[in-house]
Amino acid sequence: MGLSEMCLRLVLVQLLLLIVANAQPKPDCLKKCGDLEIKYPFGTEDGCYLNKDFLIACENTDHHNPPIPFLRNSSSNIRVTNITMEGRLQVQSFVSENCYNETHMIKNTTSLFRMGNYKFTFSETQNKFTVIGCDSYGYIQGKTGEKQYMAGCISSCENPADVTNGSCSGFGCCQINIPKDLKEIIVQAKSFNRHKNVLQFNPCSYAFVIEDSQFHFSSSNLSGTLTETVPTAIDWAITGQGKCEEAINNQSFACKENSECHPRGAEGYLCKCKDGYRGNPYLSKGCQDINECSDQQGNYKCHRQALCVDTEGSYRCECPKGYNGDGEIDGTGCTSNQLPVIMISLGVGLSFVMLLAVSSWIYFMFKKRRLIKLKEKFFQQNGGLLLQQQLSKRSGTCDTARIFNAEELKKATNNFDDKRIIGRGGYGTVYKGFLIDSNPVAIKKSKIVDQSQIEQFINEVTVLSQINHRNVVKLLGCCLETEVPLLVYEYVTNGTLFEHIHNNDNAPTIPWETRLRIAAETAGVLSYLHSAAATPIIHRDVKSTNILLDDNFTAKVSDFGASKLVPMDVTQLSTMVQGTLGYLDPEYLHTSQLTEKSDVYSFGVVLVELMTGKKVLSFDRPEEERSLVMYFLSSLKEGLLFEILENGIVNDDNKEHMREVAMLASRCLRVKGEERPTMKEVAMELEGLRRMDKHSWDNAQVNIEETEQLLSEKSYTCNYGDGSNSTAAYESMKDHALVAFDGGR
């Protein structure tokens, strides 16, 4: 070997050693910072971390206390409290507070959390956006890639007895999920009424993003004792090398021997030790073979007569001397070479099989009987006997609701397969189902049911099953054999009005005449509910997502989960405020007094949507245009009506019609309910406009009696048989408030 060849080999060896050294931490790296164990690829100094994404700053902020670990970036110091090899960090994020005393606001903070230059994201599977308070709402803003994100929820209650510890369903506490790939968040807590009615026990509103497993709501949280920070989960991954297929050929590939690469996120990966190994997959020789046969591990699956023999990365099961067969627990087992032993083993085996068969049969019968009793319990608990009694009284007067069994609806929805979901709302999930003896149906599976409201829920089923109006989604029946009731409705084929008027591809295809007809049909339904039904009904959640359309664009009003039955001699009801932001009656919001005029206001908002094609609330618009109602009223006042109407629906022939509808909408949107028209007046005016053929309202004398007859000719009212009408004001499902910042459900 020549001198030059020897020198070349020495250089290559040194380069190889340098590459290996650069890919591994120094031997004297800091292993702990305070109480946090620092695990590679994370480190606290040069040569101890994989790249700058994994640098942990370990600082002594107070010499009397242990040092504190931080993720350091351009916008903030993020305190780290835990690192896992499963790709997760636990960090501390700040709580947004909004507090009052008897005279003024005493605290108002906004929580801002940016990942900066880090490629890490907030975990959408581990975190929940949470709002706490009895007069509170909160919202979260952020970015997922280049897209802006905003959402929020409402939390309300009247006294501490309203809340349930551990439950964040809207009473004192509410929660929503966050999207994936979120790298920055702004969290803000707000109050509806400065906590005036709940100040003694709840002076503050709180909003924060928290790791769900680290949070348990308690009524004590309402008293203003929350900490300034909460634990939040961050997802990390190795990035910059592509996914596993590309990264494995990269010189700086992070997965070491006896490990596997697993894709993570859009363009990253994680390393995990192979089965049979444990340790740190990012370190050379970090994944060590485990002894499956040791008592400490206990992971081996050998027959009781077989011997476990540990091997590199695995193990094998060997039968002892004098036995043969397969030592695996799923195999034939180890059998003796002596015949008597075989016969004894065979007899014991047969006896065991017979005992197992008899035990299985007894268990199956016991389980079946228990299931029958459980169904009977749920049936009675959900008011099944009361419903049967109510339906039997009415069976001779009109079509009644059908009581379905649980197996029938499971089969119809393929055991409630997620692929059958056609909608989600504040009260439950809606599935498309196929019954053997009918057309497709919509099956609504409730989230929860308030046991104190069972009688009222049954009353709703019996009343709604008898509403025979062509523009109301018909309730076909229910199932009471499950923990929460299931409601079965007719299936409407063409989606919601919201989807059609806010979809840029669909909106121009709906002419003004069709929109006016949809408005008139919806108004006719609300007029029928308010004044023609056996017991007046206030819908309480009128919005474009609750107006379904069939293939002929015929309106079908749906979702009576928030509706109220109103006794005949009562004009207003005191209730907990419930509805959707943007559509909610401001008078009802401030007084909690529900009247028929609350539906009139919400319908006025739908009219404005139909005319403008704009969403009710949108934070993407300029500040003066974010609220569609305020923007519409100000434009109407300034004479700019036709500048805000949707392109493509205005022409010279319908301008006068649209001006009349705009004036009608403005009357519906008056702040004082007593100044608004009734739904009967609104329906008559819209029907009159439909009948006009390019003539003004003043010249066309619409016959009022004829209009009233038109509104009721398709309605069908059922007599109860005993001459009585139900007058119980109720809520069919437990109250929830659903915040829809973009106008959808």
Side-chain angles (χ1 to χ4, degrees):
M1 180 184 298
L3 181 60
S4 60
E5 185 179 355
M6 183 180 297
C7 291
L8 180 60
R9 289 193 175 187
L10 288 174
V11 170
L12 291 175
V13 169
Q14 288 177 345
L15 287 174
L16 181 60
L17 291 175
L18 182 61
I19 292 173
V20 173
N22 288 339
Q24 295 294 293
K26 299 185 297 185
D28 57 345
C29 291
L30 188 66
K31 303 298 183 184
K32 291 191 73 175
C33 178
D35 296 329
L36 177 68
E37 182 180 357
I38 307 296
K39 304 173 184 177
Y40 190 79
F42 291 90
T44 60
E45 56 183 306
D46 291 343
C48 294
Y49 52 84
L50 182 64
N51 57 52
K52 290 184 178 180
D53 281 349
F54 300 93
L55 172 61
I56 301 290
C58 187
E59 297 185 355
N60 272 309
T61 58
D62 183 355
H63 294 293
H64 299 289
N65 293 309
I68 300 174
F70 292 100
L71 277 180
R72 181 69 53 77
N73 62 41
S74 60
S75 61
S76 61
N77 291 336
I78 304 173
R79 182 171 180 177
V80 184
T81 53
N82 191 29
I83 301 173
T84 72
M85 290 294 99
E86 288 73 35
R88 188 151 290 123
L89 294 176
Q90 186 185 86
V91 301
Q92 293 293 309
S93 64
F94 285 97
V95 175
S96 173
E97 299 181 60
N98 182 249
C99 300
Y100 295 86
N101 61 18
E102 291 79 0
T103 59
H104 62 281
M105 181 191 297
I106 58 175
K107 195 169 192 179
N108 186 31
T109 63
T110 300
S111 174
L112 172 63
F113 197 141
R114 289 194 177 99
M115 294 309 304
N117 296 324
Y118 289 103
K119 297 180 178 63
F120 306 155
T121 60
F122 294 90
S123 175
E124 82 278 8
T125 60
Q126 301 296 313
N127 293 318
K128 289 286 181 67
F129 173 65
T130 304
V131 175
I132 291 177
C134 281
D135 179 37
S136 307
Y137 68 96
Y139 62 84
I140 175 175
Q141 295 176 269
K143 278 189 175 182
T144 57
E146 296 300 321
K147 296 180 180 179
Q148 292 289 338
Y149 163 75
M150 173 174 279
C153 68
I154 292 176
S155 171
S156 63
C157 53
E158 296 178 356
N159 55 67
D162 291 341
V163 306
T164 301
N165 289 340
S167 172
C168 268
S169 58
F171 289 94
C173 174
C174 65
Q175 286 185 325
I176 60 172
N177 295 325
I178 65 172
K180 63 180 180 179
D181 299 329
L182 201 59
K183 294 191 64 176
E184 65 176 54
I185 56 173
I186 301 174
V187 172
Q188 182 69 61
K190 294 290 185 181
S191 168
F192 282 112
N193 200 26
R194 302 170 64 91
H195 288 261
K196 286 183 180 179
N197 298 326
V198 295
L199 196 59
Q200 290 183 346
F201 65 92
N202 176 227
C204 297
S205 300
Y206 302 99
F208 46 86
V209 175
I210 191 168
E211 188 173 351
D212 196 31
S213 62
Q214 302 296 313
F215 177 67
H216 182 85
F217 173 64
S218 170
S219 58
S220 62
N221 297 145
L222 299 174
S223 61
T225 58
L226 253 65
T227 58
E228 291 186 354
T229 61
V230 293
T232 304
I234 301 294
D235 288 340
W236 63 267
I238 309 297
T239 57
Q241 303 173 13
K243 287 192 174 182
C244 294
E245 295 79 2
E246 300 85 11
I248 199 169
N249 298 317
N250 195 300
Q251 184 176 346
S252 56
F253 183 54
C255 299
K256 302 308 176 186
E257 61 268 27
N258 297 323
S259 69
E260 298 173 333
C261 181
H262 294 262
R264 178 68 174 267
E267 52 183 30
Y269 66 90
L270 292 175
C271 303
K272 295 181 181 179
C273 291
K274 294 180 180 178
D275 290 342
Y277 294 87
R278 276 186 197 160
N280 190 331
Y282 301 98
L283 295 174
S284 179
K285 299 182 180 179
C287 292
Q288 297 292 317
D289 174 49
I290 60 174
N291 185 355
E292 291 88 351
C293 299
S294 68
D295 293 337
Q296 291 78 13
Q297 302 297 336
N299 292 326
Y300 62 90
K301 297 180 180 180
C302 293
H303 194 275
R304 58 187 178 84
Q305 292 177 322
L307 302 176
C308 179
V309 179
D310 184 52
T311 62
E312 180 67 24
S314 186
Y315 66 95
R316 66 176 183 271
C317 301
E318 295 182 352
C319 291
K321 187 176 181 180
Y323 290 80
N324 55 31
D326 186 354
E328 296 284 344
I329 197 169
D330 297 328
T332 59
C334 297
T335 57
S336 173
N337 294 327
Q338 300 178 1
L339 184 60
V341 176
I342 295 176
M343 297 301 294
I344 294 173
S345 300
L346 183 60
V348 172
L350 289 174
S351 300
F352 176 77
V353 170
M354 291 181 64
L355 179 62
L356 182 62
V358 173
S359 300
S360 299
W361 181 82
I362 294 174
Y363 173 76
F364 175 79
M365 296 303 296
F366 173 79
K367 186 176 180 180
K368 184 176 180 181
R369 182 175 179 84
R370 184 179 179 185
L371 181 60
I372 293 173
K373 286 188 174 182
L374 186 61
K375 287 183 179 180
E376 292 175 351
K377 173 187 174 184
F378 286 146
F379 186 84
Q380 296 181 10
Q381 176 179 296
N382 291 326
L385 298 178
L386 179 59
L387 179 59
Q388 285 182 331
Q389 182 182 8
Q390 294 288 338
L391 295 181
S392 65
K393 291 180 180 179
R394 297 157 170 78
S395 59
T397 59
C398 65
D399 293 339
T400 57
R402 174 181 170 187
I403 300 180
F404 296 87
N405 60 60
E407 285 74 19
E408 188 176 10
L409 298 188
K410 281 185 179 179
K411 185 176 180 180
T413 59
N414 195 20
N415 198 21
F416 297 100
D417 189 348
D418 287 347
K419 295 179 181 178
R420 294 284 184 89
I421 294 176
I422 57 176
R424 299 180 189 270
Y427 304 98
T429 303
V430 183
Y431 298 81
K432 184 178 181 180
F434 296 91
L435 298 175
I436 297 176
D437 58 350
S438 70
N439 294 323
V441 294
I443 300 173
K444 184 176 181 180
K445 186 175 184 181
S446 305
K447 290 182 178 178
I448 58 174
V449 65
D450 187 352
Q451 293 301 315
S452 66
Q453 304 294 328
I454 285 297
E455 184 174 354
Q456 291 87 340
F457 164 75
I458 297 305
N459 193 49
E460 180 197 29
V461 174
T462 57
V463 171
L464 291 185
S465 67
Q466 297 172 80
I467 294 180
N468 192 10
H469 196 289
R470 69 186 296 268
N471 298 117
V472 174
V473 176
K474 185 171 181 59
L475 177 66
L476 303 178
C478 64
C479 174
L480 306 176
E481 293 180 349
T482 53
E483 186 174 2
V484 293
L486 303 173
L487 300 178
V488 183
Y489 297 88
E490 70 170 317
Y491 178 72
V492 184
T493 56
N494 206 10
T496 68
L497 176 61
F498 178 90
E499 294 168 351
H500 283 276
I501 62 178
H502 296 308
N503 185 321
N504 292 331
D505 295 329
N506 290 336
T509 66
I510 307 179
W512 169 243
E513 292 76 14
T514 302
R515 298 183 187 219
L516 184 59
R517 176 171 55 79
I518 292 170
E521 290 171 344
T522 304
V525 170
L526 296 176
S527 175
Y528 169 82
L529 296 176
H530 290 180
S531 56
T535 301
I537 302 171
I538 300 177
H539 189 283
R540 202 158 59 144
D541 200 17
V542 178
K543 57 185 176 182
S544 56
T545 51
N546 283 342
I547 301 172
L548 307 183
L549 301 174
D550 65 14
D551 290 334
N552 296 320
F553 285 88
T554 299
K556 297 277 189 176
V557 178
S558 69
D559 201 343
F560 287 80
S563 299
K564 281 281 190 179
L565 288 182
V566 183
M568 295 298 293
D569 56 343
V570 175
T571 58
Q572 62 183 20
L573 295 172
S574 295
T575 69
M576 182 175 291
V577 175
Q578 185 175 343
T580 303
L581 287 184
Y583 298 88
L584 201 58
D585 174 12
E587 186 177 62
Y588 173 39
L589 179 63
H590 286 89
T591 65
S592 297
Q593 299 297 312
L594 178 66
T595 69
E596 295 174 353
K597 298 299 182 69
S598 298
D599 279 355
V600 176
Y601 182 92
S602 301
F603 178 78
V605 180
V606 175
L607 272 182
V608 177
E609 274 187 282
L610 281 165
M611 298 181 69
T612 64
K614 301 181 186 297
K615 294 181 179 179
V616 175
L617 288 176
S618 176
F619 290 88
D620 293 331
R621 299 195 294 252
E623 185 172 356
E624 65 274 12
E625 300 179 17
R626 289 180 180 175
S627 170
L628 178 58
V629 170
M630 300 303 295
Y631 182 42
F632 168 79
L633 292 176
S634 64
S635 299
L636 188 62
K637 183 177 180 181
E638 295 169 8
L640 303 176
L641 171 64
F642 293 100
E643 294 186 17
I644 68 169
L645 299 185
E646 181 163 352
N647 295 331
I649 68 170
V650 183
N651 55 55
D652 293 335
D653 294 332
N654 64 18
K655 276 190 175 182
E656 189 60 27
H657 276 195
M658 300 196 75
R659 185 179 289 108
E660 293 286 349
V661 174
M663 295 305 297
L664 176 62
S666 69
R667 298 204 306 274
C668 293
L669 296 173
R670 287 175 179 169
V671 175
K672 293 184 178 180
E674 63 185 12
E675 297 177 1
R676 302 170 196 155
T678 65
M679 279 312 308
K680 186 174 182 179
E681 293 170 340
V682 173
M684 292 173 63
E685 188 164 342
L686 287 173
E687 192 60 38
L689 286 172
R690 285 191 63 206
R691 287 169 176 260
M692 292 171 61
D693 184 17
K694 299 182 182 179
H695 291 82
S696 69
W697 175 260
D698 293 331
N699 295 330
Q701 297 298 322
V702 178
N703 188 300
I704 295 177
E705 293 181 359
E706 182 181 354
T707 304
E708 291 183 271
Q709 180 180 359
L710 178 66
L711 288 173
S712 60
E713 64 183 2
K714 292 299 183 180
S715 302
Y716 182 72
T717 303
C718 292
N719 297 319
Y720 281 2
D722 56 0
S724 64
N725 292 322
S726 172
T727 60
Y730 72 97
E731 295 178 5
S732 61
M733 293 290 184
K734 191 171 184 180
D735 283 334
H736 287 282
L738 174 66
V739 180
F741 281 92
D742 60 352
R745 281 188 69 88

